[in-house]
Each structure stands twice: as structure tokens, then as C-alpha cells.
Amino acid sequence: MKIYFKTFIAIIFGVSLLGCDPAEKQNKNEEFPILGRKQFVERTVNGETVVDTIDHTIPDFRLVNQDSIWVTPKSFENKVYVADFFFTSCPTICPTMKKEMLRVYNAYKNNNSVAIISHTIDPKHDTVALLKDFAQRLDVEAPKWNFVTGNKEEIYELGQKGYMVTAMEDENEEGGYIHSGAFILVDKEKHVRGVYDGTNSNDVDRLIKDIDRLLATYNEPKTKS
Amino acid sequence: MSLKQSLSYITFLSLIFSTGCGSYSEFSSEATKDYSRAEMQKFAKYMVAGKQLYTTHCSNCHQESGQGLGKLYPPLAKSDFMMQNVNRTACLIKNGIKGEIIVNNITYNQEMPALEELTNLEVAEIATYIYNSWGNERGFVTVKEVETSLSNCQ
């Protein structure tokens, strides 16, 4: 009986190892996909139809940051950046998101290839002056970390169509808005490369690893340098 | 000894161990040194319930550690503002607070939302927890105290 039991345990153990191993390997070598819906565009070359695949890219935007400076896609030229959506008076997930984003900020404080943009979804309340105060109270600065405001519809559309996250008003929700706690990683070509839960420190650890990984694809040094 | 006897013996022993003063040591401080066993037991209950409520309702802003976040959310750990006035704390837990306040020489000015659905007991549990954690040692904040405080909020 005892021997059977031991064999049983050994088998279970072995199977569980087998089960894990390939998955883990796959994880390690996992590609770094470009997220979002692809578009297929047909065009004619020398009388033949070819189909081009166009990856989802962040559309143009023009918003203003805590220093009253315009922020556009050009502001992130040659940078990878992390985007999120919040509002300063948000009582629920935003404080945690800001604490987590602060970790990202500090990890890349001296690395000019990484930037952050936090969009307010309550631009009526979150004026430039208020965002300035907010940034100062967090002890962070633009252009590394931009807190941006602007036209409400533009911000909502950018969130939904560009970064593929929820951001909208909803009077039934605590604080008056629903919005996702996502952190979105965008590469230098304006492609979305990852979406992370900004309220979960494990996921934000993963984000920091992915930023390093992404920088490495541009042959750039990582966090520590 | 029969099985039944020894079982009840073990139960008896474990009861002694689990309710002995020793098991409350994690909650004891200068402030609680004169508490009776019964008081200590109640205090421990408040601390446990208070911690849970704190984690749900407060820790996203003031953090698990009570340290707050930058100059946005003030610390509760060793907060002079809090220590000055327990009545005010009970009121702000229930009704929220806004406008400038100064905590440990730093000015804060952000709105803290109200939590009107909290019962007096829950306010007392939270208050007991924050007044006796992270180096704060005030001792019990009772439901009676909270009742009095809440009926005199500004």
C-alpha cells in the first residue's frame, strides 16, 4: 500500500512537472505581439492585387500637460511610453494606480527613452493648475510624466479607439466615471505592445520587465543604466 | 482516559492557550497595559475587524502602512493632526473632509470621500485600528465615544 502510494505521488509530481515545463518555456520565448485589430488594405502592383497588413496604431492627439505644454505623438518620438486614464478626485482605484505608476516612473527616472502619459477623464474639473498641483504632490515632473487634459470627447475617443480601454462618464459609478485601471505600453512605432492591470503590483512588475524587453529590441540599455 | 475525556482535555488546554493573555501580545502597547483580560479581548476584536475595514475602505489612499502617498494623501502613522482630536477623526471617517489641512507640517488639500454607510461600531473599529497601528498608541476608541463625536460633528 505504502509503495503504491509513493509511486502515485511520484507520478503526480512527474506529470505536474511535465505539464508546467513546456508552458513555461513558451512563456519565456513568447513573442512580443502588436496588439489591436489589424487592417487589411488592398492595392495593385503591376496589375496584381496585394494585401497590406496595417497594425493598429495610436491615432493623433493634441492635449495639454501640467506645464501648459502641448503633448502630441511627436512628444514621444523615439520613446516607448506608458499610458493610463484617471481623474484626480477618483476615490477608488486611481490612488493605487498612481502608486504603481510611481514605481514605473522611478525605475526609468534617468532613462530618456521612457515616458508616461496620464489622461484625465474629468477635464472639466482637472484643470492644468490642478494637474500641476497633483504632479507636484506626487513629486514627479513632465516631460517624463505628463498629466494631460483637453477636449473630453477627444480623450474618451482616444481611450476607446486608440488605447482600447474603457473611459466614460457614468453617474451610477462611484466618483461618476467608469474607467479601466489599465496601463498600456506603446512602442516607438505607436503600436500597443501590452496591457497591464495598474492596480496589481505583480502585473506592474511584468510591465517593467516588458519595457526592458521592448527597449532591448531597439538595442537600448535598460532600467539600471 | 477515554477518547472522549482526552478530547475534552485537549480542547480545554487549547482554549486556555488561545485565550491566554499571551495571544494578544501583538495588540498590546503602553496604552493597553492596564486593560483587563476581557477588555483586551474586545480590543483585539476591534483591531482585527478594524484592519479589515481599513483595507477595504482606506488603504488605497493612505496605504497599508498608513504612510499616505506623497503630498496627496496624508499619513495616519504618527499623524499629529489625528492625535490632536479623536472626535474630528470619527467625523471625517463618516462624512469625509475637504479643504486645506496640515499634517506633520505638510499642507494637504484633496477631497476625502464620505463613507456614510458605516455604522458607529464600524467607525469605532476603524478608529481603534488606526489609533493603535504603525506606532500610534492611543488605546480603545469605543462605540460610545464615536456616538458622542458623531452627534457633534461640525
Side-chain angles (χ1 to χ4, degrees), chain B residues 79-123:
Chain B
S79 151
D80 57 358
F81 183 90
M82 218 172 89
M83 288 305 158
Q84 283 155 17
N85 191 333
V86 180
N87 299 323
R88 180 174 62 192
T89 300
C91 291
L92 72 84
I93 290 175
K94 184 119 175 176
N95 304 329
I97 176 173
K98 64 176 166 188
E100 266 191 20
I101 64 168
I102 298 173
V103 182
N104 300 345
N105 296 321
I106 296 176
T107 309
Y108 295 86
N109 187 3
Q110 197 84 26
E111 184 170 345
M112 165 168 158
L115 281 171
E116 276 148 16
E117 71 279 9
L118 291 178
T119 63
N120 290 354
L121 173 64
E122 286 170 327
V123 174

mmCIF file of all heavy atoms in Angstrom, chain B residues 79-123:
data_model
loop_
_atom_site.group_PDB
_atom_site.id
_atom_site.type_symbol
_atom_site.label_atom_id
_atom_site.label_comp_id
_atom_site.label_asym_id
_atom_site.label_seq_id
_atom_site.Cartn_x
_atom_site.Cartn_y
_atom_site.Cartn_z
ATOM 1 N N SER B 79 0.452 60.718 12.876
ATOM 2 C CA SER B 79 -0.117 61.967 12.384
ATOM 3 C C SER B 79 -0.476 62.847 13.568
ATOM 4 O O SER B 79 -1.288 62.465 14.416
ATOM 5 C CB SER B 79 -1.367 61.672 11.557
ATOM 6 O OG SER B 79 -2.280 62.749 11.625
ATOM 7 N N ASP B 80 0.124 64.057 13.626
ATOM 8 C CA ASP B 80 -0.216 64.965 14.727
ATOM 9 C C ASP B 80 -1.672 65.422 14.611
ATOM 10 O O ASP B 80 -2.376 65.539 15.606
ATOM 11 C CB ASP B 80 0.758 66.155 14.774
ATOM 12 C CG ASP B 80 0.812 66.941 13.471
ATOM 13 O OD1 ASP B 80 0.124 66.553 12.506
ATOM 14 O OD2 ASP B 80 1.559 67.940 13.421
ATOM 15 N N PHE B 81 -2.114 65.626 13.374
ATOM 16 C CA PHE B 81 -3.486 66.069 13.130
ATOM 17 C C PHE B 81 -4.485 65.091 13.753
ATOM 18 O O PHE B 81 -5.447 65.486 14.412
ATOM 19 C CB PHE B 81 -3.710 66.159 11.615
ATOM 20 C CG PHE B 81 -5.064 66.662 11.204
ATOM 21 C CD1 PHE B 81 -5.294 68.020 11.015
ATOM 22 C CD2 PHE B 81 -6.121 65.775 10.987
ATOM 23 C CE1 PHE B 81 -6.546 68.484 10.620
ATOM 24 C CE2 PHE B 81 -7.373 66.238 10.579
ATOM 25 C CZ PHE B 81 -7.589 67.589 10.402
ATOM 26 N N MET B 82 -4.229 63.822 13.566
ATOM 27 C CA MET B 82 -5.119 62.787 14.082
ATOM 28 C C MET B 82 -5.064 62.731 15.614
ATOM 29 O O MET B 82 -6.082 62.621 16.280
ATOM 30 C CB MET B 82 -4.664 61.450 13.501
ATOM 31 C CG MET B 82 -5.759 60.513 13.144
ATOM 32 S SD MET B 82 -5.059 59.101 12.263
ATOM 33 C CE MET B 82 -4.679 57.992 13.589
ATOM 34 N N MET B 83 -3.848 62.818 16.126
ATOM 35 C CA MET B 83 -3.670 62.685 17.567
ATOM 36 C C MET B 83 -4.319 63.830 18.345
ATOM 37 O O MET B 83 -4.770 63.662 19.462
ATOM 38 C CB MET B 83 -2.175 62.593 17.923
ATOM 39 C CG MET B 83 -1.564 61.259 17.529
ATOM 40 S SD MET B 83 -2.479 59.858 18.238
ATOM 41 C CE MET B 83 -2.018 58.542 17.136
ATOM 42 N N GLN B 84 -4.367 65.018 17.696
ATOM 43 C CA GLN B 84 -4.955 66.178 18.369
ATOM 44 C C GLN B 84 -6.418 65.977 18.732
ATOM 45 O O GLN B 84 -6.901 66.554 19.696
ATOM 46 C CB GLN B 84 -4.893 67.416 17.448
ATOM 47 C CG GLN B 84 -3.550 68.088 17.349
ATOM 48 C CD GLN B 84 -3.426 68.844 16.029
ATOM 49 O OE1 GLN B 84 -4.428 69.114 15.363
ATOM 50 N NE2 GLN B 84 -2.200 69.167 15.651
ATOM 51 N N ASN B 85 -7.134 65.196 17.945
ATOM 52 C CA ASN B 85 -8.582 65.254 18.080
ATOM 53 C C ASN B 85 -9.279 63.995 17.543
ATOM 54 O O ASN B 85 -9.419 63.820 16.341
ATOM 55 C CB ASN B 85 -9.065 66.497 17.308
ATOM 56 C CG ASN B 85 -10.510 66.820 17.596
ATOM 57 O OD1 ASN B 85 -11.294 65.933 17.938
ATOM 58 N ND2 ASN B 85 -10.864 68.076 17.444
ATOM 59 N N VAL B 86 -9.729 63.163 18.448
ATOM 60 C CA VAL B 86 -10.389 61.931 18.041
ATOM 61 C C VAL B 86 -11.796 62.191 17.509
ATOM 62 O O VAL B 86 -12.248 61.541 16.567
ATOM 63 C CB VAL B 86 -10.454 60.932 19.214
ATOM 64 C CG1 VAL B 86 -11.151 59.644 18.787
ATOM 65 C CG2 VAL B 86 -9.075 60.620 19.725
ATOM 66 N N ASN B 87 -12.479 63.167 18.095
ATOM 67 C CA ASN B 87 -13.840 63.477 17.628
ATOM 68 C C ASN B 87 -13.845 63.839 16.156
ATOM 69 O O ASN B 87 -14.672 63.365 15.377
ATOM 70 C CB ASN B 87 -14.415 64.679 18.400
ATOM 71 C CG ASN B 87 -14.512 64.375 19.875
ATOM 72 O OD1 ASN B 87 -14.817 63.246 20.259
ATOM 73 N ND2 ASN B 87 -14.214 65.360 20.707
ATOM 74 N N ARG B 88 -12.886 64.704 15.814
ATOM 75 C CA ARG B 88 -12.793 65.147 14.425
ATOM 76 C C ARG B 88 -12.529 63.948 13.508
ATOM 77 O O ARG B 88 -13.089 63.848 12.420
ATOM 78 C CB ARG B 88 -11.652 66.169 14.318
ATOM 79 C CG ARG B 88 -11.442 66.724 12.939
ATOM 80 C CD ARG B 88 -10.397 67.816 12.959
ATOM 81 N NE ARG B 88 -9.095 67.319 13.400
ATOM 82 C CZ ARG B 88 -8.072 68.106 13.716
ATOM 83 N NH1 ARG B 88 -8.202 69.418 13.682
ATOM 84 N NH2 ARG B 88 -6.919 67.580 14.099
ATOM 85 N N THR B 89 -11.691 63.017 13.968
ATOM 86 C CA THR B 89 -11.375 61.853 13.140
ATOM 87 C C THR B 89 -12.618 61.005 12.890
ATOM 88 O O THR B 89 -12.880 60.593 11.767
ATOM 89 C CB THR B 89 -10.281 60.994 13.801
ATOM 90 O OG1 THR B 89 -9.116 61.794 13.966
ATOM 91 C CG2 THR B 89 -9.946 59.782 12.957
ATOM 92 N N ALA B 90 -13.407 60.774 13.949
ATOM 93 C CA ALA B 90 -14.638 59.985 13.778
ATOM 94 C C ALA B 90 -15.530 60.649 12.744
ATOM 95 O O ALA B 90 -16.088 59.989 11.858
ATOM 96 C CB ALA B 90 -15.360 59.846 15.117
ATOM 97 N N CYS B 91 -15.638 61.988 12.831
ATOM 98 C CA CYS B 91 -16.498 62.717 11.894
ATOM 99 C C CYS B 91 -15.973 62.607 10.469
ATOM 100 O O CYS B 91 -16.750 62.412 9.536
ATOM 101 C CB CYS B 91 -16.597 64.193 12.291
ATOM 102 S SG CYS B 91 -17.518 64.450 13.817
ATOM 103 N N LEU B 92 -14.656 62.730 10.297
ATOM 104 C CA LEU B 92 -14.158 62.734 8.908
ATOM 105 C C LEU B 92 -14.176 61.344 8.288
ATOM 106 O O LEU B 92 -14.272 61.212 7.072
ATOM 107 C CB LEU B 92 -12.789 63.416 8.814
ATOM 108 C CG LEU B 92 -11.512 62.778 9.356
ATOM 109 C CD1 LEU B 92 -10.909 61.821 8.341
ATOM 110 C CD2 LEU B 92 -10.497 63.854 9.699
ATOM 111 N N ILE B 93 -14.108 60.312 9.109
ATOM 112 C CA ILE B 93 -14.243 58.962 8.562
ATOM 113 C C ILE B 93 -15.645 58.803 7.975
ATOM 114 O O ILE B 93 -15.826 58.289 6.876
ATOM 115 C CB ILE B 93 -14.001 57.887 9.640
ATOM 116 C CG1 ILE B 93 -12.511 57.867 10.028
ATOM 117 C CG2 ILE B 93 -14.432 56.499 9.148
ATOM 118 C CD1 ILE B 93 -12.187 56.925 11.178
ATOM 119 N N LYS B 94 -16.642 59.281 8.696
ATOM 120 C CA LYS B 94 -18.022 59.122 8.261
ATOM 121 C C LYS B 94 -18.427 60.143 7.185
ATOM 122 O O LYS B 94 -19.086 59.798 6.225
ATOM 123 C CB LYS B 94 -18.952 59.274 9.475
ATOM 124 C CG LYS B 94 -20.393 59.034 9.163
ATOM 125 C CD LYS B 94 -20.947 57.894 9.943
ATOM 126 C CE LYS B 94 -22.436 57.755 9.683
ATOM 127 N NZ LYS B 94 -22.975 56.595 10.363
ATOM 128 N N ASN B 95 -18.001 61.401 7.362
ATOM 129 C CA ASN B 95 -18.501 62.467 6.489
ATOM 130 C C ASN B 95 -17.513 62.926 5.430
ATOM 131 O O ASN B 95 -17.825 63.781 4.611
ATOM 132 C CB ASN B 95 -18.902 63.682 7.329
ATOM 133 C CG ASN B 95 -19.929 63.316 8.383
ATOM 134 O OD1 ASN B 95 -20.738 62.404 8.172
ATOM 135 N ND2 ASN B 95 -19.882 63.973 9.523
ATOM 136 N N GLY B 96 -16.283 62.403 5.457
ATOM 137 C CA GLY B 96 -15.275 62.880 4.526
ATOM 138 C C GLY B 96 -14.740 64.224 4.987
ATOM 139 O O GLY B 96 -15.165 64.766 6.016
ATOM 140 N N ILE B 97 -13.782 64.749 4.224
ATOM 141 C CA ILE B 97 -13.212 66.045 4.581
ATOM 142 C C ILE B 97 -12.621 66.661 3.330
ATOM 143 O O ILE B 97 -12.118 65.957 2.456
ATOM 144 C CB ILE B 97 -12.125 65.893 5.692
ATOM 145 C CG1 ILE B 97 -11.453 67.234 6.008
ATOM 146 C CG2 ILE B 97 -11.078 64.857 5.319
ATOM 147 C CD1 ILE B 97 -10.505 67.178 7.205
ATOM 148 N N LYS B 98 -12.745 68.007 3.221
ATOM 149 C CA LYS B 98 -12.038 68.681 2.127
ATOM 150 C C LYS B 98 -11.551 70.036 2.581
ATOM 151 O O LYS B 98 -11.961 70.529 3.623
ATOM 152 C CB LYS B 98 -12.919 68.781 0.882
ATOM 153 C CG LYS B 98 -14.154 69.607 1.002
ATOM 154 C CD LYS B 98 -14.807 69.635 -0.370
ATOM 155 C CE LYS B 98 -16.230 70.157 -0.312
ATOM 156 N NZ LYS B 98 -16.906 70.013 -1.592
ATOM 157 N N GLY B 99 -10.686 70.619 1.786
ATOM 158 C CA GLY B 99 -10.065 71.885 2.145
ATOM 159 C C GLY B 99 -8.682 71.617 2.700
ATOM 160 O O GLY B 99 -8.304 70.470 2.915
ATOM 161 N N GLU B 100 -7.954 72.711 2.911
ATOM 162 C CA GLU B 100 -6.566 72.558 3.362
ATOM 163 C C GLU B 100 -6.479 72.056 4.791
ATOM 164 O O GLU B 100 -7.176 72.548 5.672
ATOM 165 C CB GLU B 100 -5.865 73.917 3.288
ATOM 166 C CG GLU B 100 -5.122 74.100 1.994
ATOM 167 C CD GLU B 100 -4.223 75.331 2.029
ATOM 168 O OE1 GLU B 100 -3.882 75.823 3.119
ATOM 169 O OE2 GLU B 100 -3.879 75.793 0.929
ATOM 170 N N ILE B 101 -5.628 71.090 5.010
ATOM 171 C CA ILE B 101 -5.292 70.700 6.376
ATOM 172 C C ILE B 101 -3.782 70.505 6.461
ATOM 173 O O ILE B 101 -3.125 70.261 5.442
ATOM 174 C CB ILE B 101 -6.013 69.404 6.832
ATOM 175 C CG1 ILE B 101 -5.566 68.199 5.990
ATOM 176 C CG2 ILE B 101 -7.517 69.546 6.774
ATOM 177 C CD1 ILE B 101 -6.009 66.875 6.573
ATOM 178 N N ILE B 102 -3.258 70.638 7.649
ATOM 179 C CA ILE B 102 -1.810 70.479 7.827
ATOM 180 C C ILE B 102 -1.543 69.254 8.693
ATOM 181 O O ILE B 102 -2.066 69.138 9.802
ATOM 182 C CB ILE B 102 -1.201 71.736 8.483
ATOM 183 C CG1 ILE B 102 -1.408 72.945 7.559
ATOM 184 C CG2 ILE B 102 0.300 71.535 8.736
ATOM 185 C CD1 ILE B 102 -1.000 74.252 8.172
ATOM 186 N N VAL B 103 -0.806 68.311 8.145
ATOM 187 C CA VAL B 103 -0.454 67.107 8.891
ATOM 188 C C VAL B 103 1.068 67.024 8.951
ATOM 189 O O VAL B 103 1.727 67.023 7.907
ATOM 190 C CB VAL B 103 -1.016 65.843 8.214
ATOM 191 C CG1 VAL B 103 -0.685 64.601 9.035
ATOM 192 C CG2 VAL B 103 -2.518 65.969 8.007
ATOM 193 N N ASN B 104 1.605 66.961 10.132
ATOM 194 C CA ASN B 104 3.059 66.913 10.324
ATOM 195 C C ASN B 104 3.784 67.948 9.457
ATOM 196 O O ASN B 104 4.731 67.635 8.741
ATOM 197 C CB ASN B 104 3.598 65.508 10.025
ATOM 198 C CG ASN B 104 2.975 64.459 10.939
ATOM 199 O OD1 ASN B 104 2.366 64.798 11.962
ATOM 200 N ND2 ASN B 104 3.105 63.190 10.585
ATOM 201 N N ASN B 105 3.271 69.175 9.500
ATOM 202 C CA ASN B 105 3.889 70.318 8.813
ATOM 203 C C ASN B 105 3.774 70.299 7.290
ATOM 204 O O ASN B 105 4.425 71.095 6.627
ATOM 205 C CB ASN B 105 5.378 70.452 9.176
ATOM 206 C CG ASN B 105 5.548 70.764 10.641
ATOM 207 O OD1 ASN B 105 4.762 71.531 11.201
ATOM 208 N ND2 ASN B 105 6.534 70.146 11.258
ATOM 209 N N ILE B 106 2.999 69.392 6.748
ATOM 210 C CA ILE B 106 2.793 69.404 5.295
ATOM 211 C C ILE B 106 1.330 69.722 5.014
ATOM 212 O O ILE B 106 0.438 69.194 5.682
ATOM 213 C CB ILE B 106 3.198 68.066 4.657
ATOM 214 C CG1 ILE B 106 4.705 67.865 4.847
ATOM 215 C CG2 ILE B 106 2.841 68.013 3.181
ATOM 216 C CD1 ILE B 106 5.221 66.550 4.341
ATOM 217 N N THR B 107 1.114 70.613 4.050
ATOM 218 C CA THR B 107 -0.252 71.009 3.727
ATOM 219 C C THR B 107 -0.850 70.054 2.701
ATOM 220 O O THR B 107 -0.247 69.804 1.665
ATOM 221 C CB THR B 107 -0.271 72.438 3.144
ATOM 222 O OG1 THR B 107 0.450 73.269 4.031
ATOM 223 C CG2 THR B 107 -1.692 72.951 3.015
ATOM 224 N N TYR B 108 -2.008 69.539 3.005
ATOM 225 C CA TYR B 108 -2.730 68.671 2.078
ATOM 226 C C TYR B 108 -4.000 69.375 1.677
ATOM 227 O O TYR B 108 -4.556 70.156 2.452
ATOM 228 C CB TYR B 108 -3.066 67.331 2.739
ATOM 229 C CG TYR B 108 -1.830 66.540 3.068
ATOM 230 C CD1 TYR B 108 -1.159 66.751 4.269
ATOM 231 C CD2 TYR B 108 -1.307 65.624 2.168
ATOM 232 C CE1 TYR B 108 -0.001 66.048 4.571
ATOM 233 C CE2 TYR B 108 -0.148 64.928 2.464
ATOM 234 C CZ TYR B 108 0.497 65.138 3.663
ATOM 235 O OH TYR B 108 1.640 64.452 3.946
ATOM 236 N N ASN B 109 -4.447 69.118 0.447
ATOM 237 C CA ASN B 109 -5.693 69.741 0.022
ATOM 238 C C ASN B 109 -6.318 68.922 -1.090
ATOM 239 O O ASN B 109 -6.155 69.187 -2.262
ATOM 240 C CB ASN B 109 -5.414 71.176 -0.463
ATOM 241 C CG ASN B 109 -6.691 71.919 -0.754
ATOM 242 O OD1 ASN B 109 -7.787 71.397 -0.540
ATOM 243 N ND2 ASN B 109 -6.572 73.134 -1.259
ATOM 244 N N GLN B 110 -6.979 67.887 -0.682
ATOM 245 C CA GLN B 110 -7.580 66.955 -1.633
ATOM 246 C C GLN B 110 -8.830 66.468 -0.935
ATOM 247 O O GLN B 110 -8.863 66.444 0.300
ATOM 248 C CB GLN B 110 -6.610 65.787 -1.842
ATOM 249 C CG GLN B 110 -6.848 64.959 -3.046
ATOM 250 C CD GLN B 110 -6.214 65.578 -4.282
ATOM 251 O OE1 GLN B 110 -5.249 66.317 -4.178
ATOM 252 N NE2 GLN B 110 -6.761 65.277 -5.446
ATOM 253 N N GLU B 111 -9.827 66.084 -1.696
ATOM 254 C CA GLU B 111 -11.050 65.668 -1.018
ATOM 255 C C GLU B 111 -10.985 64.207 -0.601
ATOM 256 O O GLU B 111 -10.577 63.345 -1.370
ATOM 257 C CB GLU B 111 -12.246 65.893 -1.944
ATOM 258 C CG GLU B 111 -13.558 65.574 -1.259
ATOM 259 C CD GLU B 111 -14.765 66.017 -2.063
ATOM 260 O OE1 GLU B 111 -14.598 66.816 -3.009
ATOM 261 O OE2 GLU B 111 -15.866 65.557 -1.744
ATOM 262 N N MET B 112 -11.374 63.942 0.638
ATOM 263 C CA MET B 112 -11.558 62.554 1.069
ATOM 264 C C MET B 112 -13.059 62.281 1.073
ATOM 265 O O MET B 112 -13.819 63.001 1.690
ATOM 266 C CB MET B 112 -10.966 62.360 2.465
ATOM 267 C CG MET B 112 -11.414 61.085 3.129
ATOM 268 S SD MET B 112 -10.443 60.726 4.602
ATOM 269 C CE MET B 112 -11.591 59.663 5.463
ATOM 270 N N PRO B 113 -13.494 61.227 0.386
ATOM 271 C CA PRO B 113 -14.933 60.994 0.255
ATOM 272 C C PRO B 113 -15.574 60.507 1.558
ATOM 273 O O PRO B 113 -14.913 59.903 2.399
ATOM 274 C CB PRO B 113 -15.027 59.901 -0.819
ATOM 275 C CG PRO B 113 -13.701 59.234 -0.834
ATOM 276 C CD PRO B 113 -12.698 60.251 -0.370
ATOM 277 N N ALA B 114 -16.878 60.774 1.688
ATOM 278 C CA ALA B 114 -17.633 60.322 2.860
ATOM 279 C C ALA B 114 -17.897 58.820 2.774
ATOM 280 O O ALA B 114 -17.881 58.243 1.694
ATOM 281 C CB ALA B 114 -18.955 61.069 2.920
ATOM 282 N N LEU B 115 -18.100 58.197 3.912
ATOM 283 C CA LEU B 115 -18.487 56.779 3.943
ATOM 284 C C LEU B 115 -19.705 56.649 4.843
ATOM 285 O O LEU B 115 -19.642 56.068 5.923
ATOM 286 C CB LEU B 115 -17.336 55.928 4.488
ATOM 287 C CG LEU B 115 -16.201 55.602 3.530
ATOM 288 C CD1 LEU B 115 -15.046 54.954 4.265
ATOM 289 C CD2 LEU B 115 -16.689 54.675 2.414
ATOM 290 N N GLU B 116 -20.813 57.251 4.379
ATOM 291 C CA GLU B 116 -21.992 57.357 5.244
ATOM 292 C C GLU B 116 -22.566 56.017 5.654
ATOM 293 O O GLU B 116 -23.247 55.905 6.673
ATOM 294 C CB GLU B 116 -23.068 58.194 4.542
ATOM 295 C CG GLU B 116 -22.848 59.678 4.745
ATOM 296 C CD GLU B 116 -23.324 60.494 3.566
ATOM 297 O OE1 GLU B 116 -24.082 59.959 2.736
ATOM 298 O OE2 GLU B 116 -22.916 61.665 3.476
ATOM 299 N N GLU B 117 -22.284 54.982 4.852
ATOM 300 C CA GLU B 117 -22.911 53.696 5.157
ATOM 301 C C GLU B 117 -22.265 52.997 6.348
ATOM 302 O O GLU B 117 -22.771 51.988 6.825
ATOM 303 C CB GLU B 117 -22.913 52.790 3.915
ATOM 304 C CG GLU B 117 -21.558 52.241 3.479
ATOM 305 C CD GLU B 117 -20.726 53.231 2.665
ATOM 306 O OE1 GLU B 117 -21.121 54.412 2.565
ATOM 307 O OE2 GLU B 117 -19.665 52.831 2.150
ATOM 308 N N LEU B 118 -21.159 53.518 6.857
ATOM 309 C CA LEU B 118 -20.516 52.878 8.007
ATOM 310 C C LEU B 118 -21.386 53.016 9.257
ATOM 311 O O LEU B 118 -21.938 54.073 9.528
ATOM 312 C CB LEU B 118 -19.146 53.504 8.283
ATOM 313 C CG LEU B 118 -18.022 53.263 7.283
ATOM 314 C CD1 LEU B 118 -16.769 54.008 7.733
ATOM 315 C CD2 LEU B 118 -17.726 51.779 7.106
ATOM 316 N N THR B 119 -21.481 51.933 10.033
ATOM 317 C CA THR B 119 -22.193 52.016 11.314
ATOM 318 C C THR B 119 -21.251 52.593 12.366
ATOM 319 O O THR B 119 -20.038 52.655 12.164
ATOM 320 C CB THR B 119 -22.618 50.617 11.784
ATOM 321 O OG1 THR B 119 -21.424 49.843 12.002
ATOM 322 C CG2 THR B 119 -23.473 49.904 10.745
ATOM 323 N N ASN B 120 -21.821 52.994 13.497
ATOM 324 C CA ASN B 120 -20.983 53.539 14.574
ATOM 325 C C ASN B 120 -19.956 52.515 15.035
ATOM 326 O O ASN B 120 -18.823 52.857 15.347
ATOM 327 C CB ASN B 120 -21.850 53.979 15.757
ATOM 328 C CG ASN B 120 -22.670 55.212 15.410
ATOM 329 O OD1 ASN B 120 -22.503 55.791 14.337
ATOM 330 N ND2 ASN B 120 -23.561 55.593 16.318
ATOM 331 N N LEU B 121 -20.382 51.265 15.100
ATOM 332 C CA LEU B 121 -19.448 50.219 15.506
ATOM 333 C C LEU B 121 -18.278 50.130 14.530
ATOM 334 O O LEU B 121 -17.119 50.056 14.932
ATOM 335 C CB LEU B 121 -20.165 48.864 15.594
ATOM 336 C CG LEU B 121 -19.255 47.659 15.851
ATOM 337 C CD1 LEU B 121 -18.572 47.766 17.208
ATOM 338 C CD2 LEU B 121 -20.033 46.345 15.760
ATOM 339 N N GLU B 122 -18.598 50.189 13.237
ATOM 340 C CA GLU B 122 -17.525 50.104 12.235
ATOM 341 C C GLU B 122 -16.572 51.296 12.334
ATOM 342 O O GLU B 122 -15.361 51.139 12.211
ATOM 343 C CB GLU B 122 -18.119 49.996 10.825
ATOM 344 C CG GLU B 122 -18.715 48.621 10.555
ATOM 345 C CD GLU B 122 -19.523 48.562 9.268
ATOM 346 O OE1 GLU B 122 -20.157 49.574 8.886
ATOM 347 O OE2 GLU B 122 -19.531 47.495 8.640
ATOM 348 N N VAL B 123 -17.140 52.494 12.559
ATOM 349 C CA VAL B 123 -16.279 53.671 12.727
ATOM 350 C C VAL B 123 -15.360 53.462 13.930
ATOM 351 O O VAL B 123 -14.162 53.750 13.877
ATOM 352 C CB VAL B 123 -17.120 54.958 12.894
ATOM 353 C CG1 VAL B 123 -16.216 56.143 13.221
ATOM 354 C CG2 VAL B 123 -17.927 55.233 11.636
#
